[in-house]
Amino acid sequence: MATTTRRPPSGRVPVLFRPASRLTKHALLIAFGLFMLYPLLWMISSSLKPEDVIFREPGLIPGEVTGQNYADGWGALKHSFGYYLWNSAVITSLAVVGNLLACSLAAYAFARLEFPLKKLWFAIMLVSIMLPHHVTVVPQYIAFSKIDWINTIWPIIVPKFLATDAFFIFLMVQFIRTLPRELDEAAAIDGAGHFRTFLQVVMPLCVPALATTAIFTFIWTWNDFFTQNLYLTNSDNLTAPVALRQFLDSSGDSSWGPMFAMSIISLGPIFGFFLAGQKYLVRGMATTGLK
């Protein structure tokens, strides 16, 4: 009787080669991850080197480990670096609260309420997402200077309470639309109005979308150098990203070691906030169609 050799179905890897394929895939992912992390690892290594050997010994493993850069950087500026971290924390916290409050209210209105020209306003909001921020910088600066808001935190904070971040409104609208309207109808039967329905029915179910908004707002506001450098010119109002710029000197006498050390410290809150809300971030992105 003739024997035939069975071949694996098309597109499937033979069992014998599956461990090797998985090992190759993991090795490539690890290599790519290390490649992406190299700048961060180099900055951490440089912050632990004496300042005079940072660029002479560019390797990741320092020949001599010292913490002097952290001590020097913390007190190198007019105020301690903790002062600038506190300024960043205040501005970022208010920005997160403003976006959560204003964007969730706007999203509920677009997702659940009926009002004149609703589709037109929603389309205008979507178009504003594609408008670069730098296009509106000059008119915004002129407007804020007219009301004497330059060198205050109000140009950074107040727009957040006016639902100007269309991306987060769209994200929440998509999430609220996935919630069954029967919940709103049941609340209406119990005598709840729109505001009570928003607070007690919709918002508790929007925790993933709210967490996603909070995480992105925190990261973007904490790292925002351009806007904060534009409006905060007094050295007493500087935030961490702008304060880091003070370590650089155009004449070439820059404090690289202290700057790297303070950069590592300023990254700490971002990593902590992201890791704390990572599971909500994944869930929020997966349930709003923004994969």
Side-chain angles (χ1 to χ4, degrees):
M1 180 181 294
T3 58
T4 58
T5 303
R6 299 185 60 184
R7 296 182 179 178
S10 178
R12 295 182 61 181
V13 179
V15 177
L16 180 62
F17 296 102
R18 286 180 187 175
S21 175
R22 189 180 301 114
L23 181 62
T24 302
K25 184 188 300 182
H26 289 173
L28 290 175
L29 289 175
I30 292 173
F32 183 73
L34 291 176
F35 177 77
M36 297 297 293
L37 287 175
Y38 180 81
L40 176 62
L41 297 176
W42 185 85
M43 187 167 64
I44 295 174
S45 174
S46 299
S47 70
L48 297 173
K49 296 177 182 178
E51 190 173 0
D52 58 343
V53 301
I54 290 178
F55 297 106
R56 278 191 306 166
E57 302 176 3
L60 288 181
I61 301 177
E64 178 185 351
V65 177
T66 177
Q68 189 62 36
N69 289 328
Y70 289 86
D72 293 344
W74 191 262
L77 304 178
K78 179 180 179 181
H79 302 282
S80 69
F81 199 76
Y83 178 88
Y84 305 113
L85 290 174
W86 173 254
N87 287 346
S88 288
V90 171
I91 292 175
T92 303
S93 299
L94 291 174
V96 169
V97 172
N99 262 352
L100 289 178
L101 180 63
C103 292
S104 60
L105 286 169
Y108 178 79
F110 280 122
R112 286 294 196 256
L113 304 184
E114 297 296 334
F115 51 89
L117 303 178
K118 172 182 173 180
K119 293 183 178 180
L120 175 62
W121 291 119
F122 189 74
I124 293 175
M125 183 204 69
L126 293 180
V127 170
S128 68
I129 297 178
M130 297 178 284
L131 189 66
H133 169 66
H134 301 83
V135 173
T136 61
V137 166
V138 173
Q140 283 181 351
Y141 188 89
I142 294 174
F144 290 136
S145 64
K146 293 289 185 180
I147 56 179
D148 200 24
W149 276 9
I150 304 301
N151 201 33
T152 68
I153 66 173
W154 304 124
I156 305 172
I157 299 303
V158 172
K160 304 296 183 183
F161 285 87
L162 299 178
T164 57
D165 286 333
F167 171 78
F168 298 120
I169 299 176
F170 176 69
L171 184 145
M172 291 191 188
V173 167
Q174 294 296 98
F175 192 94
I176 294 174
R177 284 176 176 173
T178 63
L179 304 178
R181 285 186 174 269
E182 288 77 6
L183 296 175
D184 298 29
E185 296 170 358
I189 292 174
D190 290 339
H194 287 298
F195 192 70
R196 184 179 172 188
T197 302
F198 168 76
L199 286 180
Q200 298 183 358
V201 178
V202 176
M203 283 301 97
L205 298 175
C206 289
V207 171
L210 294 173
T212 302
T213 300
I215 292 172
F216 277 115
T217 302
F218 185 93
I219 294 175
W220 292 348
T221 306
W222 186 277
N223 287 333
D224 183 17
F225 173 82
F226 179 79
T227 305
Q228 295 170 12
N229 187 50
L230 180 66
Y231 292 112
L232 304 178
T233 57
N234 192 316
S235 59
D236 294 331
N237 297 332
L238 300 185
T239 56
V242 183
L244 288 173
R245 177 64 180 80
Q246 307 303 307
F247 288 100
L248 300 179
D249 190 347
S250 59
S251 64
D253 188 17
S254 301
S255 302
W256 294 104
M259 186 189 70
F260 290 149
M262 294 304 100
S263 298
I264 296 299
I265 291 178
S266 64
L267 286 175
I270 297 177
F271 283 116
F273 199 83
F274 178 81
L275 292 176
Q278 183 181 13
K279 64 177 181 179
Y280 297 106
L281 174 64
V282 174
R283 192 186 310 170
M285 297 298 288
T287 52
T288 52
L290 298 178
K291 298 181 181 180

